[in-house]
Amino acid sequence: MAAHLKKRVYEEFTKVVQQQHEDLSAKKLRLTKPSKSAALHVDLCKATSPADALQYLLQFARKPVEVESVEGVVRILLEHYYKENDASVRLKIASLLGLLSKTPGFSPDCIMDDAINTLQNEKSHQVLAQLLDTLLVIGTKLTENPSVRMRLVEVACKHLTDSSHGVRNKCLQLIGCLGPVEKGVAKEAESQAAKDVQKIIGDHFNDQDPRVRTAAIKAMLQLHERGLKLQQAIYGQACKLLADDYEQVRSAAVQLIWVLSQLYPESIVPIPSSNEEIRLVDDAFGKICHMVSDGSWVVRVQAAKLLGSMQQVSSHFLEQTLDKKLMSDLRRKRTAHERAKELYSSGEFSSGRKWGDDAPKEEIDTGAVNLIESGACGAFVHGLEDEMYEVRIAAVEALCMLAQSSPSFAEKCLDFLVDMFNDEIEEVRLQSIHTMRKISNNITLREDQLDTVLAVLEDSSRDIREALHELLCCTNVSTKEGIHLALVELLKNLTKYPTDRESIWKCLKFLGSRHPTLVLPLVPELLSTHPFFDTPEPDMDDPAYIAVLVLIFNAAKSCPTMPALFSDHTFRHYAYLRDSLSHLVPPLRLPGRKLVSSPVSPSITPHEDPSQQFLHQSLERVYNLQHLDPQGIQELLEFTIRDLQRLGELQSELAGMADFTATYLQCQLLLIKALQEKLWNVAAPLYLKQNALASAAAKQILEETYKMEFMYSGVESRQVVIIHHMRLQAKALQLIVTARTTRGVEPLFGMCEKFLQEVDSFQRCFISELPQMQGSFVDKLLDLMPRLVTSKPSEVVKILQTTLRQSTFLHLPLPEQLHRASANIIEPTGESDNPLRFTSGLVVALDVDATLEHVQDPQGTVKVQVLYPDGQAQLIHPKPADFRNPGPGRHRLITQVYLSHTAWTEPCQIEVRLLLAYNSNRSKAAAKIAKSTWNESPEALPQPENGIEGTIPFSKPVKVYIMPKPARR
Amino acid sequence: MPLALLVICLTFTTSSPPGPALTARVPASLGGAGQDVGRSCILVSIAGKNVMLDCGMHMGYNDDRRFPDFSYITQNGRLTDFLDCVIISHFHLDHCGALPYFSEMVGYDGPIYMTHPTKAICPILLEDYRKITVDKKGETNFFTSQMIKDCMKKVVAVHLHQTVQVDEELEIKAYYAGHVLGAAMFQIKVGCESVVYTGDYNMTPDRHLGAAWIDKCRPDLLITESTYATTIRDSKRCRERDFLKKVHETVERGGKVLIPVFALGRAQELCILLETFWERMNLKAPIYFSTGLTEKANHYYKLFITWTNQKIRKTFVQRNMFEFKHIKAFDRAFADNPGPMVVFATPGMLHAGQSLQIFRKWAGNEKNMVIMPGYCVQGTVGHKILSGQRKLEMEGRQILEVKMQVEYMSFSAHADAKGIMQLIRQAEPRNVLLVHGEAKKMEFLKQKIEQEFHVNCYMPANGETTTIFTNPSIPVDISLGLLKRETAIDAKKPKLMHGTLIMKDNSFRLVSPEQALKELGLAEHQLRFTCRVHIQDPRKEHETVLRVYNHLKGVLKDYSVQHLPDGSITVESILIQATAHLEDQGTKVLLVSWTYQDEELGSYLTSLLKKGLPQSTS
């Protein structure tokens, strides 16, 4: 600890020194500037040996150079460059030239000629390569200038014949980055060398050095990225490169072929050694498939990844990728998949397998067997069985993308995906489960497949199980046995891992509502009802029983005949569950009973949802009634807020919207209340209570505005303006209150100045929105701005007060979608009576599991707060890896919180809750600060002072019983 | 039937490109076990070096036939003098079982190469084999423990991808084969001729080993196993899943599972498979492994983590997968314990020992299950139950009724037809030779290989010799001076080069003629050709010369044609002189003279002049 502190002290110390230094140099800039290049010159002249010179250059490179002196430094370096005999020093100079040309604000066209000249007499290949690199830097800075680019490309073409691979590499890179991409109409004539960049690069596809070949292909890809349409003629060359001896060449060639297949999918290419012709995309697909069984895994990953994005490929080619003809002793054998399918279709269910069950049947014609597939045959079969898990993951991803675009392929790849559920590496299993979920719309699981899928429910990894629950939520099952099987396995899962309760219930909810007709015949069995005898009433708190009921009730929603099968206690349980687990149990129309809750009448379509209408009506009412007497406004606002809050509770989909507006109205109400006080004009010190109320209101408004800005997802800039405006009003209120309470004018000066600054920044940030704010507080304020700037604080306050009173209240437009961020801590449950005991001074890890909804960037914003009974609070930043993203807008936080405390005599409760951290700089209004450092050193940027950081609690606190024991001696 | 060691003779004949004939016949011979599974032993002669690949035994015989007939290699003289080295691909007894017999009893003192894991595990298996043959069956005249130890002292261990220089010319290199722990493929290289021997290999990864891999080494010959020449197998995943499901179901309903295995190889794979499954599914039922040599072997598996697959290699920092959490040593008494359990027991064919004992105890209960993970020889209990027999006659005329479920799961680690083709595609050999397989099946594969890769494919029978002609390139040293002189102009284009090739002391050198003369102490002789061409030209001599000069200048634009003051013309170094004919003044005689080096140009010039001068040029 001490060492750490010491280090920090030093860090800060050095920081301070540096800043001072910079300040000094900033003041003396004019004096030191000429000496910078001069010093270098002197140093270099002093250098007696190349090693010395190199040292000087290295030292020089550590310090940044100002934009103005770059050119001078370059001249000096060049001068030494010509004099220097040692190649390593020239190399360093060349690299420095490149570095210097990167200086922001410096335009390197003035040194380009010199740089090109240096190339002429250079003998060393390494230096040449470095110089070309420098030219590349210069070229990329001057991309707008076509003649410069042309010239550089010409230089590069000239050096393409160099015998060193490094030089050729750089030349190709240069051509790739700077070669003309626009179809040069006029420029064609003026430059001979750069006439056909593609041809020049293409010639180097056959270079003797593999590195140059790779660079050539990369340059070609670079041209493509820059928008040049590659010629189809390259395709043949690229195909040859697929058989290259070197993996990096093959890997790049695969990319090139993919690019070409996307450019010319429909053109026709001949199949060698036959007269047939096929589409280019099919041919390319076949070739890339072939690379899935390449010798190098890097190429295999590359190939497998690219396969996924080739959606134009013909379906029969696509289906071949899953094809593998089995044989045994030259006789055709059925794959396990085919056998399973047959077993299933013949109606037999799970027979014990005998030896020779898979005995091969038909004879195979030896001539017809093709052991090396020319085309796409079995590419995915190979990819999914690959040795490296990287390849397998890539293959699964590709499978997913292809299956999403082709339902028939999705059906076919199902068997293979199901197989991947048993991969030895968890990532692969997880990935394949996710993939399956993504394509679940296109597929229906067969019973035997479901069986395999369900077997994974016993996996000890929580991620896998939950992913699987998600998958089951959106799976189609074909038979009632399937549903039964799924239920049984889920219940097994529940007994084995009771913590999965919520997730399993949710899964059964969807399973039930998706398959009402399949659940119907199972109901008597599931509820264990008997036609003649009454069966004992099951335990209501049994999670397994709840699970069954969730399934049944959700199925019953769209199956009106089902409730007839329920027994009495089922109805009672329904009523109980509908209340306690309303998110899992839907409202049902039960016969012979009063409706428990009035369901939405079916005649109303969601477009004219009455609750939505109600929301808008009530808001309109508020906005229209501007000129009512203050008392009336207050009452109306209070009623509306109450209505909105109730609406939010009832209608979950409108909750965000209702809460948002209610908060806004609340702010408005507070403001009005604070301003309405009759005693405003009386001398302040006498009315302390009064002040307390107004300042509390201002404070609360501020808090609420932060909540509005950061807690809701879907807030647009229109709303942000209003929120900021409200905040400004609150600040004005604060200023007025302070002005009334404090004696003396001194502190007011600062406050007024600050406030005016804020008005100013408000104006700057929202200049485009100002016209829509007619008659508002800020509008009026800006009119009075010239007067405000010159007047005394007391006057300012007076003006503010009147403007605040006169200003109208702004209409808050509602965005399409608005969701309030919310969090729910699942674990710890806070129900335990057993204190968590640990030795004081040591740490104990507390597992925290929470679901977050509608939180943007949870990694950066969500914190865990622990409050100890002594008032001590601890803020924990969870690791980014602790957040999982199970679906859009939803996040899951599974982390460990370390607790520690000194010894207590009694066990006591601590509070754990989640906070949403915000920083007003991060908001949409924050201006960006340009970064301008010479050598890209990661120096911390100074935070602008107006950045306000804070946290908003957004989950219910959970109490955890802990007991730090005194350490035993 | 005398069992001869199969010898395949490979003669590398070097035929050189046009030029002076460099045909040197280098006798080489290749030997091995072909068209048969078991008792692998192949002899390769490559560029005068003799290498023996594998030294296996045959499981099926108990007499002399179990070992290869080493007298076949050389009738008289010691083996050590004849063989340059012995290479063992992996530790299975059909690949290394005859090694102590060969090195200690027949007598061989040269180096034996194998990988580190093979070297570690091989003696355990040999010792076990010796114990069974000598202690149990009471055979005499068999190798002893000491012999095994002595034999292992001659072994040199190699690393993967390490190039080992056996002697100055012969080098070998090991590649990963994935068949069992430490299985390797070997590349044998002499000069620029090379042979790759695969041993047994597996192209699909399994739970504990990766897939075989080789680079594009383009050997002259690839000797590959062909056990599954006519089979294309289903994905491994289905088999594994079936296996796990069977075991899981049985354990869940309280049954016991017996898995008879051989101690090494597949047993470890199945252990890993069950261990990870137990871990994944949080199962509690005990798994036992019958003790014995397994523990020692598992120890080696733990040590040679680098030879296993990606998953095990990646996770061993947290935990070595071979340190089983759920698998414990088996004790005889455990078999009677109530409740579910899984037991791995040796031997694999249920013909004797612990596995049979346990089988007898458990066979009566239909809740139990036996899973046969491999092939069973006819006559064993394993074979009987697999073929569906439910009543077995045990010794002492007991009838054992088998009520337990019997399952068969094939877990074999050989490459299938596709895998073999894939390896050939990776290595790009010029010839392929199939061994270690059945003749009929090899025929099919041979045909396929020839059809798809257009390379020659051989499948010699036992005792047969195959000769393969290669087309080696021969390195020639060239003096730097000569190279610079000859290639100074343009390095890019192919160019004819003049020089003298000196073959001396087994080396080839290309030097300039002058240096060659100097070295050989010979005087230089010049060979000059002269030719007279008659031209009908009435004009004066010097005019004729001028005409010829103009003509040549016009035709031979690329050459330097000069008109010398003495009235002669030179084209490069060819001299042309014109004189009037003694008898007929209208005929001019052109004397063309050139040296041997300029033969090409000289004869061209003569033929050009013979055509006469064009009339128009005057």
Side-chain angles (χ1 to χ4, degrees), chain B residues 56-81:
Chain B
M57 47 145 303
H58 201 294
M59 296 281 207
Y61 301 107
N62 282 325
D63 49 19
D64 282 349
R65 290 178 297 176
R66 67 183 156 210
F67 296 136
D69 182 4
F70 293 109
S71 64
Y72 201 96
I73 301 173
T74 165
Q75 295 296 339
N76 35 17
R78 295 176 60 238
L79 282 172
T80 319
D81 301 334

Side-chain angles (χ1 to χ4, degrees), chain A residues 32-48 52-65 69-81 83-84 89 92-94 96-97 100 934:
Chain A
T32 51
K33 193 175 67 176
S35 71
K36 190 130 202 170
S37 46
L40 178 70
H41 180 68
V42 171
D43 278 348
L44 284 178
C45 289
K46 263 198 300 196
T48 47
D52 274 354
L54 211 54
Q55 276 306 319
Y56 287 129
L57 287 170
L58 284 171
Q59 268 168 21
F60 176 73
R62 284 192 199 113
K63 283 178 242 140
V65 177
S69 52
V70 168
E71 199 178 340
V73 173
V74 168
R75 297 267 167 253
I76 297 205
L77 285 174
L78 280 171
E79 197 180 304
H80 283 273
Y81 179 88
K83 277 192 254 165
E84 186 59 57
V89 178
K92 185 66 203 167
I93 293 179
L96 269 181
L97 289 182
L100 284 168
W934 185 62

Side-chain angles (χ1 to χ4, degrees), chain B residues 264-314:
Chain B
L264 281 165
R266 283 321 98 197
Q268 273 71 22
E269 184 192 347
L270 294 178
C271 280
I272 290 271
L273 194 61
L274 277 188
E275 167 86 11
T276 43
F277 187 72
W278 249 239
E279 183 108 8
R280 243 182 87 189
M281 298 303 185
N282 251 337
L283 298 180
K284 294 286 179 279
I287 308 175
Y288 297 112
F289 205 128
S290 70
T291 45
L293 71 161
T294 349
E295 265 175 63
K296 236 191 238 171
N298 272 350
H299 176 64
Y300 287 115
Y301 271 81
K302 268 180 230 167
L303 288 180
F304 294 110
I305 281 295
T306 47
W307 287 80
T308 55
N309 73 2
Q310 191 192 17
K311 156 101 178 166
I312 300 176
R313 264 183 290 140
K314 279 199 148 180

